[in-house]
Each structure stands twice: as structure tokens, then as C-alpha cells.
Amino acid sequence: MGSDDFDEAAYLRANPDVAVMVERGLFRSPLDHWQRAGSLEHSAGRRRSGFYEHDLVYDEETYLRLNADVVALVRRRALGSGYEHWMRHGRIEFSRGRRHAPFVASTQPFRPFRLTVGDAGGLLVGAVDAEPEPGVALTLRHAEDPEIGVAAGTVACSPSLDVQDVMRRKRPVRLLVVRYPAFASDARRPRPLVLRAGATSFLTSRDAGMQAFFFAGVRDARDFLETGLRVAETDAATAAAFTDALVALVLARLQPPIDPREPFAGFFLESLSRRPGEGFDAGGWFAPASAEVTRVSVFCPETAECAELSALSRIARPDVLETLRDTPGVPADASLGFAGFLPLPRASAITPARLVFEVTLSNGVARFFESRDVSKLL
């Protein structure tokens, strides 16, 4: 890390012992300490940086209160602290929705993140109040690499989207997506990536990490996917790789952690038949009781298309109820089957590989279920 990217004041606030060591002449400066010792201690979970995003959001008390397995490791002295677990394992598990850490949305704004696509470069994504002013030159700088210009076709801004954190707290955001090329410096290491609009820093991603955000609904996922595809498809040679990465990201961000206190919920697509030029007829079952379901929507990643299941009918399914009879939250008299029409005219021209269903319950909670290999049902 160069001196331009090192936040000395933040580092000293998080590590007052460093100032003492510098005063005693053990290190020439806080940057010298970071380069010779601090960065390694940080990677091991024994020192805060004070400026990386995964440090700014972390709270030891909250993390330990919500993760009993981490507490057990600390008590056995397998780890020195919850922060050490966070640095080594937890922040990755958290970003993938597999670890509870609901301190993000309440303490920090939506932070920029990067989606890397192998040797093709990647996408910088960040929340903005408004798009950059027309005519203002945009540039990118990664670590010590020379600053490069941003072509107009490699940047796009989404409409307002609803996103939520692991506690399902929602907030509206507009996401700016910028495609960047591969950099000479090692992109796998934490290096700042800065988007400038003229002389102003517009978005700054200090590391490649991603916060655990989730799209609130399939239409939000669709709108983000369409925004990303606008910049991904400007380069035919890498379009397929970027498209695959965007679809994978969108599908992963439609699966918020399930509260164990919620009743069991499941979804199974059993039949799918085509109506040429119109869409598909679908049938299957879901739980809990279909009486609690107010809406079923579907998202087709192959076409970035959404629709709401129309003509929804509930069908008695004794075989499913027999399977679920001892499952908490599923009433004995539930009517679990469904049948309906999915108006996906663009998708009717192709055979979709998978569909994502959004099942909205009467309490407003949405659950998402991915049906893979649906082409075998046709």
C-alpha cells in the first residue's frame, strides 16, 4: 500500500499503541509500522486497520452475541477474539449469507464492492444519489497503477432498487456499475480502487470485499442484472464471462438467511409446459399453507425477465401433506399445491435452464426458491 492510500489518522485511532512505538523510535512512522508489521497482524485478526470496510462495520459484542460457535472457539482459546474469526473466516461467510452479523446496515451506508471476472477485469458497484454529470470525465485508479479513462459505454446506473441486509431491513438504492479492465497490480490483494468524476472521488472501494446485501425481490434483481448487462455486453470477447458472473451474483443475492424461528417453507416445481409466444403453464407445491401466500412471481435469469404467476389456483396435495405431517408450521388441513400461468413471452422463444420463484407470504416476508434444470419438465 502506498502512502496516498494509507489513512494514518484512522490507523492511529484504531491502534494507539502504534503512536507509542513510533515515539520510542521503533518505527519511523505509522505507515512504516503498517508495512513492516501491521498489515500481517491485520490479516491474522490481531490488529484493526481503521479504514478497511470490513473493519469499519465490525462490532465484537454483536458478533459474539449472535454466533455461539465463535464464542466456544474463543473460550477454548482456539481464537484470540471474535475479530480474529471475523478476519479469517466470518467476513467471507457473512458476505455469502452464511454468518449472522447484522451490524452492517445500521452503522454504515451501502459500501462499494467489486465483482472480479478472472483476467477480463471486473465490475465496480456502488450506491449513488445521482449519476455523474454528463460531460464530466470519469477515471479509474487502482493502487499504484496509472489512472485510466472510463469509456461512456462501460458505466451504467440502475433505477431505484430495494435491497435488504441479513435482518431484512430494507433501503432504496441506485447502483452505479462500472466495468474496468485487468490491472497490472495484483487485484487479489486488498488495493483501493477509486472512480473519479473530474477532480472529485465518486466511488472508492478499499478492498474487493462485498457486504452481505440481498435484493428485496426478483424485480430488483432483474433491474440490477439489466444494468450490469448494459456494460458487460459492450465487449463481445468477454461478454459471456461477465454475464455468467452477474447471473451468479444475482442468484446468490436472492437468498437471505432464514430465521430459524420461521415456519418451514419449501417450493417444488413439478410441471412446466409452453404456450408458444405467451409463456408457460406451471404447477407444483409449496409450504407453509398456500392460504398464507399472497403472490408468486418468477424471474428468468436467461432473459432478465420477471412476471407474476397469474390464475393462481390452490390444489389439495395429500401426498405432500403426508410427507410434511410432522413438520412444525404446516397445518394438517393445508392446501399446498399450485397451478398458474407465467407470462414470459421472451422466454417462450428459448428453453430456460432455471427459474427463480418469489413467494410472498401474508406477513410481507418474501421467500425465494430456485428451480434448476426446468427444461427437463417441458
Side-chain angles (χ1 to χ4, degrees):
M1 173 180 288
S3 58
D4 291 342
D5 303 318
F6 179 75
D7 191 331
E8 179 177 299
Y11 189 59
L12 290 176
R13 283 196 300 269
N15 302 282
D17 62 314
V18 172
V20 176
M21 287 186 278
V22 172
E23 184 178 349
R24 291 178 178 176
L26 299 176
F27 296 93
R28 293 189 300 272
S29 65
L31 176 60
D32 181 44
H33 179 275
W34 171 259
Q35 292 176 331
R36 291 170 55 191
S39 61
L40 294 177
E41 295 170 342
H42 172 66
S43 298
R46 296 194 298 270
R47 183 175 295 281
R48 303 282 187 98
S49 71
F51 47 81
Y52 282 141
E53 280 83 350
H54 54 255
D55 280 343
L56 296 175
V57 302
Y58 182 77
D59 178 76
E60 181 84 359
E61 180 182 355
T62 303
Y63 194 63
L64 293 177
R65 176 167 51 84
L66 294 167
N67 295 282
D69 60 324
V70 177
V71 174
L73 291 170
V74 173
R75 287 176 176 171
R76 294 204 311 266
R77 298 186 179 180
L79 293 171
S81 65
Y83 179 69
E84 184 176 342
H85 181 275
W86 170 254
M87 284 298 300
R88 292 186 174 188
H89 312 287
R91 56 184 172 143
I92 302 301
E93 297 167 345
F94 173 52
S95 71
R96 295 173 179 169
R98 298 202 301 266
R99 171 70 60 181
H100 287 293
F103 39 75
V104 167
S106 60
T107 60
Q108 292 292 326
F110 189 105
R111 298 176 313 283
F113 67 88
R114 294 175 233 176
L115 178 65
T116 56
V117 187
D119 296 333
L123 299 174
L124 171 64
V125 183
V128 295
D129 295 327
E131 299 180 57
E133 291 290 336
V136 175
L138 298 179
T139 58
L140 278 170
R141 182 174 61 84
H142 181 259
E144 293 82 21
D145 289 351
E147 200 166 60
I148 61 173
V150 177
T154 60
V155 58
C157 191
S158 76
S160 180
L161 311 173
D162 281 335
V163 298
Q164 57 187 346
D165 64 7
V166 291
M167 299 299 286
R168 292 187 172 147
R169 293 173 293 203
K170 294 182 182 180
R171 61 169 296 183
V173 297
R174 293 186 68 195
L175 297 181
L176 190 74
V177 183
V178 183
R179 183 166 60 84
Y180 59 83
F183 294 102
S185 53
D186 188 355
R188 294 171 297 180
R189 297 179 59 193
R191 300 291 184 89
L193 177 61
V194 181
L195 172 70
R196 294 183 180 278
T200 304
S201 294
F202 204 76
L203 290 178
T204 300
S205 173
R206 284 194 173 273
D207 56 35
M210 185 188 305
Q211 68 185 81
F213 80 93
F214 301 90
F215 295 109
V218 292
R219 284 172 174 77
D220 301 298
R222 183 270 315 275
D223 289 345
F224 173 76
L225 178 59
E226 289 185 331
T227 302
L229 290 176
R230 292 208 302 272
V231 301
E233 294 174 346
T234 56
D235 183 356
T238 61
F242 274 96
T243 299
D244 290 344
L246 279 165
V247 169
L249 170 64
V250 163
L251 293 177
R253 298 295 141 183
L254 274 173
Q255 302 294 336
I258 297 173
D259 189 330
R261 296 169 295 182
E262 291 183 13
F264 167 80
F267 184 94
F268 188 67
L269 182 65
E270 288 184 309
S271 64
L272 193 69
S273 59
R274 192 192 306 271
R275 291 191 198 178
E278 298 183 65
F280 299 94
D281 287 300
W285 60 269
F286 45 64
S290 58
E292 297 183 23
V293 174
T294 59
R295 185 175 68 250
V296 178
S297 301
V298 66
F299 170 51
C300 180
E302 281 83 357
T303 63
E305 194 169 10
C306 293
E308 188 171 322
L309 193 71
S310 60
L312 176 66
S313 60
R314 298 177 175 87
I315 307 169
R317 287 299 305 271
D319 57 326
V320 176
L321 286 172
E322 178 65 23
T323 302
L324 303 176
R325 64 179 179 175
D326 297 325
T327 304
V330 180
D333 60 347
S335 178
L336 296 172
F338 76 89
F341 176 62
L342 306 175
L344 291 170
R346 277 189 285 169
S348 64
I350 66 170
T351 300
R354 55 195 168 191
L355 296 172
V356 179
F357 289 83
E358 176 187 0
V359 179
T360 304
L361 307 180
S362 56
N363 61 2
V365 173
R367 301 292 296 274
F368 302 92
F369 304 94
E370 182 179 351
S371 293
R372 297 176 177 268
D373 300 321
V374 298
S375 59
K376 296 178 180 179
L377 297 173
L378 290 167

